[in-house]
Amino acid sequence: VQLQASGGGLVQTGGSLRLSCAASGRTFGNFNMGWFRQAPGKERDLVAAIAWSGRNTYYSDSVKGRFTISRDNAKNTVYLQMNSLKPEDTAVYYCAASSSVYINRGYDYWGQGTQVTVSS
């Protein structure tokens, strides 16, 4: 599956952004989808994930209550709505796809990153 992320940009503290990730090439509805982020000098971490059915989601503690992951299987797209953004949310954000039974592991397919910068 090929993944194309978009929607990053520069926003002030407290602002919002919505990231999108369009999938092509294989049946999108078969994959769990996740959003990862990587700040300079840090590891790439999973921040949100959603099951293929959309019924189960996962959020890291750092974004819980501020970010919302969703998907539209008819449009082959997964979204990450980011609200109440903080400077520490600044990172390159990546979408990824997993065929694992667990939504927080097994991510084998990756999109290119999209930069999110939150100014203080």
Side-chain angles (χ1 to χ4, degrees):
V1 61
Q2 289 79 47
L3 304 172
Q4 180 76 34
S6 61
L10 174 64
V11 64
Q12 291 185 333
T13 296
S16 298
L17 282 174
R18 188 175 82 153
L19 305 183
S20 299
C21 176
S24 62
R26 296 183 66 177
T27 306
F28 176 73
N30 290 345
F31 293 92
N32 302 326
M33 297 298 297
W35 285 97
F36 291 73
R37 70 184 181 189
Q38 187 168 23
K42 296 189 177 181
E43 294 185 352
R44 187 177 300 186
D45 293 323
L46 178 66
V47 296
I50 187 167
W52 62 271
S53 64
R55 284 197 285 264
N56 297 324
T57 57
Y58 161 87
Y59 297 97
S60 68
D61 288 343
S62 61
V63 307
K64 201 171 293 182
R66 301 188 297 122
F67 290 12
T68 302
I69 189 169
S70 61
R71 66 189 296 160
D72 185 337
N73 286 350
K75 295 183 178 180
N76 290 351
T77 303
V78 62
Y79 305 97
L80 185 67
Q81 178 67 44
M82 305 186 295
N83 298 330
S84 302
L85 284 161
K86 306 175 181 180
E88 51 264 44
D89 295 318
T90 295
V92 178
Y93 284 71
Y94 300 88
C95 62
S98 166
S99 56
S100 171
V101 297
Y102 303 102
I103 66 170
N104 61 345
R105 65 184 71 174
Y107 285 89
D108 296 325
Y109 302 93
W110 294 85
Q112 92 293 355
T114 185
Q115 176 71 46
V116 172
T117 303
V118 185
S119 63
S120 57

